[in-house]
Amino acid sequence: MDTQKQYYESINLPDVLSIRNVTELYSKFNYEFHSRDTIIVSIPEGAEADLSFIQLIESSRRQAKTRGKTFKLSSPANGSVLKVLERAGFIESFDQEDANFWLHKEVTL
């Protein structure tokens, strides 16, 4: 097995990120948590998302943190994902860690 791949893998997601496929996504994330140190999630441009997807990502972030793993998005949230974050009130309650994860906003001094 390629040593680099053991530590890093990008998970490419489908165009629909909803309650209908959240169990499948959960299984995919769970598998990667068992075999990788770093998991990077690639959300397709124009993907349709609902709140269940945001909840899955948030729970995966917490799981990664407790396991000492790295879990991040390949690019900032946009489109439908960003709209769900806004409508659900997440963005207005983001701390710096949340803003960095979802929006790729680094701390500036």
Side-chain angles (χ1 to χ4, degrees):
M1 176 195 267
D2 179 17
T3 307
Q4 280 295 93
K5 193 166 183 165
Q6 179 179 354
Y7 300 106
Y8 165 77
E9 174 104 352
S10 181
I11 300 174
N12 296 311
L13 300 179
D15 290 331
V16 177
L17 306 166
S18 69
I19 192 73
R20 290 188 177 109
N21 65 355
V22 76
T23 302
E24 175 187 332
L25 295 174
Y26 170 78
S27 295
K28 187 182 284 195
F29 290 171
N30 201 35
Y31 172 79
E32 294 300 332
F33 274 114
H34 284 83
S35 58
R36 311 277 180 224
D37 294 322
T38 298
I39 298 100
I40 299 178
V41 177
S42 296
I43 301 171
E45 188 76 30
E48 288 298 317
D50 69 10
L51 189 56
S52 67
F53 174 71
I54 303 301
Q55 292 169 324
L56 174 64
I57 295 294
E58 283 298 309
S59 68
S60 297
R61 284 179 62 197
R62 285 172 177 74
Q63 182 181 13
K65 194 172 194 174
T66 61
R67 291 184 177 189
K69 308 262 181 173
T70 300
F71 185 81
K72 56 187 176 178
L73 301 178
S74 64
S75 59
N78 62 47
S80 176
V81 174
L82 187 58
K83 287 178 185 173
V84 172
L85 288 167
E86 290 169 345
R87 280 193 315 260
F90 280 88
I91 290 179
E92 59 194 39
S93 65
F94 275 176
D95 62 17
Q96 190 59 47
E97 186 178 340
D98 297 329
N100 186 28
F101 177 82
W102 286 105
L103 307 174
H104 291 194
K105 294 196 176 193
E106 301 290 331
V107 176
T108 56
L109 301 174

